[in-house]
Amino acid sequence: MSGSVGIAEVTVTPTITRRRLPRVRSGQRISASVGGVDLEVIMDLDNDGQLCDIHLPESGPHGSFQHGMLSAYVSMMSLALRYGAPLEEIVDRFVHTRFEPSGYTDAPDIPRAASVVDYLARRIALDFLPRTRQEILGIAPGTRAVA
């Protein structure tokens, strides 16, 4: 008999809990232009002022594919928020995403965006993340990404 102790493997299953949205919530409606394409998005806040839901109004000038893909993206982002995904991680995954339309925006704090998804990630970061986190992600005005 040796003096070694057996190590038992333990499997841990995380508990996933969906955060229920408040029945009445405040929010902000944002209209923007990215590369000449107009965008409108609604961001709802929970009782603590934290971002809890994002959606697009049903009407809009977008073509069916563009509007459908953007709608799917914001729906997935909302679902991730409800299940506890960190906002910083969501922003980090989508900032610098490149595809058309891209270019100049009409937002003074976001002069250029690589895509509509990049614009939304930057808008969310500027509105809901602390300045130190914005700086680390290279999103705060006047900063560059830290490697």
Side-chain angles (χ1 to χ4, degrees):
M1 196 160 168
S2 70
S4 66
V5 177
I7 299 174
E9 288 188 31
V10 177
T11 303
V12 177
T13 304
T15 302
I16 299 172
T17 305
R18 182 175 143 205
R19 183 173 67 157
R20 298 283 176 193
L21 297 177
R23 200 171 64 77
V24 177
R25 25 188 208 275
S26 63
Q28 57 190 30
R29 183 179 214 123
I30 297 170
S31 296
S33 175
V34 176
V37 174
D38 293 330
L39 164 73
E40 192 164 352
V41 65
I42 299 169
M43 296 186 208
D44 289 336
L45 311 177
D46 63 15
N47 296 333
D48 297 327
Q50 299 298 310
L51 181 63
C52 66
D53 190 36
I54 305 168
H55 58 276
L56 299 176
E58 286 303 315
S59 62
H62 304 295
S64 61
F65 179 79
Q66 181 179 6
H67 189 267
M69 289 302 293
L70 191 55
S71 182
Y73 162 73
V74 297
S75 293
M76 183 56 75
M77 186 182 284
S78 290
L79 190 62
L81 288 169
R82 287 185 208 156
Y83 279 95
L87 188 58
E88 182 177 345
E89 183 71 21
I90 293 170
V91 168
D92 188 41
R93 296 284 176 165
F94 293 109
V95 73
H96 306 299
T97 302
R98 293 186 173 280
F99 58 87
E100 295 298 325
S102 66
Y104 292 103
T105 77
D106 59 354
D109 52 352
I110 307 172
R112 290 185 56 84
S115 66
V116 173
V117 170
D118 177 53
Y119 174 84
L120 285 174
R122 291 170 185 277
R123 176 83 278 141
I124 290 166
L126 291 174
D127 291 350
F128 299 103
L129 291 179
R131 171 84 183 190
T132 55
R133 304 314 299 163
Q134 295 171 22
E135 289 171 354
I136 289 170
L137 293 169
I139 295 171
T143 62
R144 295 178 187 241
V146 175

